[in-house]
Amino acid sequence: MIRLAEPVSERDHVLGPAGARVTLVEYGDFECPYCATAFPIITHVRDAFGPNLRFVFRHFPLRASHPHAGLAAEAAEAAGAQGKFWEMHDRLYERQDGLDDRALRKHARKLGLDLERFEHELATEAHRERIRQDIASGARSGVNGTPTFYVNGVRYDGGWEDRAMFISAMVQAATGRQVEG
Amino acid sequence: MARKNSGDRRNAVPVPEISRHVGRTTWGRLFGYYLIVAVVIGTLTHFFPSRSILEQIRTRRETALSARALFARLGESNFFPTGTPDWIDAVVQIIGALLLALPLAFVYVRTRTSQKYDQSIIQTVIMLPIVVTAILVVVQDSLALAFSLAGIVAAVRFRNNLKESGDATYIFASIGIGFAAGIHALSVAMVLSVSFVLLELGLWRVNATAEFERMFARFCAPSGADLAEIQAVARADAARPALAAPRAAPRNGTLAPASGIREQTADALADAIVPNGSRPTEKLRVHCTDLDGARPLVEALLDAEAKDWTFVTALRHPGGGGLLEYAVRPRKRRPLPELRHLLLADAGPHVIAAE
């Protein structure tokens, strides 16, 4: 049973109430095709659980195989600095073929961000440390690929593509029985 | 989990005896209904007396004051002093027949349990008097026409059994239409045809006679105590494994309980449910941390907020919790996404997710 090394805290990007019965943490890469496949599934799960689910996203860009993943993660953080992390998160997964500089600026413009501030923060790598901390916490938590999920602090190794199995695991976690998948 | 043998009575869920008490609510509603119907029928027959009645009064040899006075009153106050045309007479009689047949359906549902309930009987009870009325408006006191009718009905021989008793009303309606047309009473034939079609479509459209619980709630409109009791019995029936009288196919969506159900995918089970009439349109899966605790609350909320719903299956997860699946027809004012959110908010602590 592999546990999350760093608990969810105020520094995390969180959707859902703090007291939710199920906490789902995802270590993801914006250029990872599997993460893009998981995105609508996670959206569905979030909708299904409603206030019973707290969803947390942490960056784990695999720069070696995904050259744009790091910059995309910084772009999401820059959007988050202007209060639109989740909007950028959704947009990046929905348009995964557009993660270069020009596309990221376009995303920022579409979201109504302060473009000057956005570009400045990307150019100065203002959020790089934050990304690095997420990667480090993932490594300590046993993340070895993306997406990696933790349900109530325990790594889920089951088939997340199987929506029913995924939900079942979270239901069992809510009953107090941890499932590794 | 151990599977229960369908013949294992030791583990059968005890079914509470349904109360045979006819409460004041039922009596009151029946009395009020018949009172209103009497006023309606009395008014209609007063202003639209049939020709046969007037003819009888006119040709009577008695000089009783009451008969003459009645004739005088009818001649003065009705719309057709010489007698109502046949087609209007047919409308009046059919309305009367329909209003008087409805309580029969009411009492049928009230006195039957969900196991003995037969939907096609309800439709037949409602539709057959209308057909017979129209036929007899045509036949009236003609012996020749009566024998002709008997001969025609006898000539229509069914080599195959009708699947439902309601099918027979279609046959009789067609005979009635042909009969009326044959004696140049096309107006009566038209009234029968239109009223039959509208009523059948209306019953089918609202699915008024489908499941026991739905029919009871719609038709009988009992008090809250009655309904809760009836629904408790219906659910107990649904939870009991098939024993002496297994059904060939599920009619109302109730299958064996989670502990005895065969392992099928939820989709396959949902496809197997074909209630008569229109089919609930959307699938609702409710994930629970405690199936037995969640189910009554979920179904109470569906009763209150959904237009129609059918239980499909319950599946227990090996590690705890489970899944309840329903086929739901949401109300327009409460679409399925809203219904799901309502379940998450109000259906108690055991509901963890709804999709």
Side-chain angles (χ1 to χ4, degrees), chain B residues 56 75 100 102 109 120 172 199 207 240 296 301 321:
Chain B
Q56 289 170 22
L100 290 170
L102 286 177
V109 177
S120 66
F172 288 129
L199 276 168
N207 201 21
R240 192 169 64 176
L301 196 139

Side-chain angles (χ1 to χ4, degrees), chain B residues 163-197:
Chain B
K163 290 181 181 175
E164 295 180 0
S165 64
D167 293 347
T169 61
Y170 281 85
I171 303 299
F172 288 129
S174 64
I175 292 175
I177 290 169
F179 206 67
I183 62 162
H184 309 286
L186 282 174
S187 55
V188 178
M190 171 166 280
V191 168
L192 172 59
S193 176
V194 171
S195 56
F196 186 92
V197 163

Side-chain angles (χ1 to χ4, degrees), chain B residues 66-111:
Chain B
S66 61
R68 283 189 178 166
L70 176 63
F71 180 77
R73 277 203 300 275
L74 287 173
E76 290 168 3
S77 61
N78 64 35
F79 294 117
F80 300 97
T82 58
T84 308
D86 285 342
W87 70 274
I88 296 181
D89 185 37
V91 170
V92 171
Q93 305 308 321
I94 283 175
I95 291 173
L98 175 63
L99 291 175
L100 290 170
L102 286 177
L104 271 66
F106 168 85
V107 174
Y108 174 82
V109 177
R110 180 64 182 87
T111 56

Side-chain angles (χ1 to χ4, degrees), chain B residues 246-304:
Chain B
R247 294 177 186 166
R251 289 191 306 166
N252 59 6
T254 55
L255 298 176
S259 57
I261 198 168
R262 289 184 290 119
E263 285 296 327
Q264 296 183 38
T265 63
D267 286 338
L269 284 165
D271 289 342
I273 305 306
V274 185
N276 287 328
S278 61
R279 181 178 182 157
T281 55
E282 300 186 67
K283 198 179 298 181
L284 174 68
R285 288 196 175 105
V286 183
H287 299 269
C288 315
T289 54
D290 179 349
L291 268 185
D292 300 320
R295 188 171 170 182
L297 298 172
V298 170
E299 294 180 355
L301 196 139
L302 289 177
D303 280 335

Side-chain angles (χ1 to χ4, degrees), chain B residues 110-141:
Chain B
R110 180 64 182 87
T111 56
R112 295 292 185 272
T113 63
S114 61
Q115 277 191 322
K116 297 178 184 175
Y117 174 84
D118 187 341
Q119 172 194 345
S120 66
I121 296 291
I122 300 294
Q123 289 178 321
T124 305
V125 163
I126 295 172
M127 299 305 301
L128 198 55
I130 296 163
V131 177
V132 172
T133 298
I135 291 175
L136 290 180
V137 166
V138 170
V139 172
Q140 295 195 13
D141 56 354

Side-chain angles (χ1 to χ4, degrees), chain A residues 21-22 44-53 163-164 167-168 170-172 174-175 177 179, chain B residues 287-290 317-322 337 340-341 344-345 348-355:
Chain A
R21 297 165 71 181
V22 180
H44 175 85
V45 167
R46 280 167 41 199
D47 186 55
F49 277 80
N52 294 318
L53 178 72
R163 196 179 293 184
I167 291 178
S168 166
M170 284 189 276
V171 171
Q172 292 176 56
T175 64
R177 295 177 65 120
V179 177
Chain B
H287 299 269
C288 315
T289 54
D290 179 349
H317 299 314
R340 287 193 292 103
H341 292 145
L344 291 171
H350 304 301
V351 173
I352 188 78
E355 56 172 337

